[in-house]
Amino acid sequence: MKVVGSSSRRRSAIRRSIAVAGAAAGLVGLVLTVPGSADAAAPVTHAAAAHNDNMDWLGSSVAAHEGGDLASSTLSPSAAATQTPGMDVSHYQGAINWSSAYSNGARFVYMKATEGTDFQDPDFSANYTGSYNAGFIRGSYHFATPDTSTGAAQADYFVAHGGGWSKDGKTLPPMLDIEYGSSSECYGLSQASMVSWIKSFVNEVHAKTTRWPTIYSTTDWWTTCTGNSSAFSSNDPLFIARYASSVGTLPAGWGFYTFWQFADSGTFPGDQDKFNGAQSGLVNLANNT
């Protein structure tokens, strides 16, 4: 399947189509958590929602599994306080007007660089350069496919194709995007094997770049597929995905989130994100200080 178009509405339609297709194939028993309710209850079980290899982006599987297409959502006052606006993008957005996005208030962006060990986002170079020239603090992410190769192998591919880091005040830590799989939500791995895969990835990125990568996921996926491991909370910043007006319960060990993807369209191109702090804190993260 080839997806054409750069609008957020088209991406939202793709997600809804995935969800509908999953329902038609027997996607039943989907249980959603509600902000303010018992979020930390037993892990939610889902059927796998189909998506194609190399056609993924940050959060491409989230809406189909957890619901919430909240392009028009309003953050709660506590969630909006002392937050720095940003976004995440991939080649699905096409050519991006970076100056316009910056003028509208976005100050950081994560962009897709790689997937597996055989796919490079065709717009990565243009996005990386364009965002830098417009004044953004930017970083790259890797869409993980733990069923195709080892964590270390994917980390090596990522670092070699855009996942590096330099202390220039404009480069965020490399990021691992780990979310629902296509054949099964946990890619056929046990919880222990998934934790080992993630350790292999983050350790290799750290060895190659000196930075511990940011980890993007949802609390539900993390609980289901890692057993709610707290093994990464000491080093790796958390980029939580939750399409709601509040962030909800976080995965084990993380006392706070660093980034939050709260909607899949809105003011800026791509998904709508927040950095949990002032812009000066974002600069400190970029500089590893």
Side-chain angles (χ1 to χ4, degrees), residues 1-281:
M1 178 180 68
K2 182 177 181 181
V3 181
V4 180
S6 61
S7 72
S8 295
R9 287 191 298 272
R10 183 175 294 276
R11 294 179 62 224
S12 297
I14 293 168
R15 291 178 178 179
R16 285 191 291 271
S17 296
I18 291 171
V20 170
L27 181 59
V28 296
L30 180 65
V31 181
L32 304 180
T33 55
V34 178
S37 68
D39 288 357
V44 181
T45 300
H46 308 293
H51 59 275
N52 291 330
D53 292 342
N54 303 334
M55 301 293 286
D56 301 295
W57 60 87
L58 199 72
S60 59
S61 68
V62 173
H65 285 271
E66 300 187 21
D69 180 7
L70 298 183
S72 61
S73 67
T74 301
L75 298 184
S76 65
S78 60
T82 320
Q83 305 272 298
T84 301
M87 60 195 194
D88 60 85
V89 300
S90 71
H91 62 285
Y92 284 107
Q93 277 66 55
I96 294 172
N97 188 330
W98 291 104
S99 297
S100 176
Y102 193 89
S103 296
N104 285 333
R107 291 296 178 264
F108 72 89
V109 58
Y110 264 108
M111 61 199 69
K112 184 176 181 178
T114 54
E115 180 173 339
T117 56
D118 60 0
F119 178 78
Q120 300 175 53
D121 189 290
D123 287 352
F124 172 74
S125 293
N127 287 338
Y128 206 68
T129 301
S131 60
Y132 181 90
N133 290 339
F136 281 82
I137 298 175
R138 80 279 192 256
S140 57
Y141 75 82
H142 173 81
F143 192 98
T145 57
D147 55 345
T148 63
S149 54
T150 67
Q154 294 195 26
D156 287 338
Y157 185 77
F158 175 43
V159 172
H161 297 93
W165 175 79
S166 60
K167 191 174 182 178
D168 58 3
K170 300 291 288 291
T171 307
L172 293 168
M175 184 164 72
L176 171 65
D177 174 5
I178 187 82
E179 54 183 279
Y180 302 96
S182 55
S183 58
S184 67
E185 61 183 304
C186 301
Y187 299 86
L189 273 63
S190 67
Q191 292 175 340
S193 294
M194 184 63 76
V195 170
S196 295
W197 193 97
I198 296 171
K199 284 182 178 179
S200 176
F201 184 96
V202 302
N203 287 342
E204 186 71 2
V205 168
H206 182 261
K208 291 291 180 68
T209 69
T210 74
R211 293 304 305 265
W212 292 106
T214 300
I215 294 177
Y216 167 97
S217 196
T218 75
T219 299
D220 172 65
W221 185 93
W222 194 261
T223 301
T224 301
C225 297
T226 75
N228 208 17
S229 172
S230 60
F232 305 94
S233 58
S234 297
N235 295 318
D236 300 279
L238 174 64
F239 197 137
I240 191 71
R242 186 180 178 90
Y243 301 156
S245 60
S246 62
V247 75
T249 300
L250 300 178
W254 280 289
F256 60 92
Y257 63 90
T258 301
F259 297 98
W260 173 22
Q261 184 189 75
F262 66 90
D264 64 3
S265 61
T267 302
F268 313 124
D271 298 309
Q272 311 299 289
D273 305 325
K274 295 286 187 180
F275 170 75
N276 191 11
Q279 188 172 350
S280 58

